[in-house]
Amino acid sequence: MEENKTAQEPAEEKKSSRWKSMVKKFGIGGIIFFTVKGIITSTLIYFLGKNAWSIIAGYITGIFD
């Protein structure tokens, strides 16, 4: 039982060290910036992509009319 516990501890340290390295590299503000940027970019791609198909469909319909 104790051996399993010690085997799992390095994996937990690995996860926390990844976050620590990201915080050291970008800082808290950088992580917040990239998160907000990703949300805004995803939202724009979704809504602009949705609108683009309606524009293309209207254009093709106008050609055949």
Side-chain angles (χ1 to χ4, degrees), residues 18-35:
R18 182 177 177 192
W19 278 104
K20 285 180 183 178
S21 66
M22 287 180 67
V23 170
K24 284 181 183 178
K25 189 174 183 180
F26 299 114
I28 299 293
I31 292 173
I32 293 170
F33 170 77
F34 286 119
T35 303

Side-chain angles (χ1 to χ4, degrees), residues 15-61:
K15 289 180 184 177
S16 65
S17 66
R18 182 177 177 192
W19 278 104
K20 285 180 183 178
S21 66
M22 287 180 67
V23 170
K24 284 181 183 178
K25 189 174 183 180
F26 299 114
I28 299 293
I31 292 173
I32 293 170
F33 170 77
F34 286 119
T35 303
V36 171
K37 181 183 171 190
I39 292 169
I40 291 171
T41 304
S42 299
T43 306
L44 286 174
I45 289 171
Y46 175 75
F47 285 114
L48 291 177
K50 198 174 181 182
N51 192 25
W53 282 113
S54 63
I55 292 171
I56 293 169
Y59 179 74
I60 292 173
T61 306

Side-chain angles (χ1 to χ4, degrees), residues 1-2 4 10 13 29-30 46 52-53 61:
M1 285 287 200
E2 291 178 16
N4 289 341
E13 286 180 16
Y46 175 75
W53 282 113
T61 306

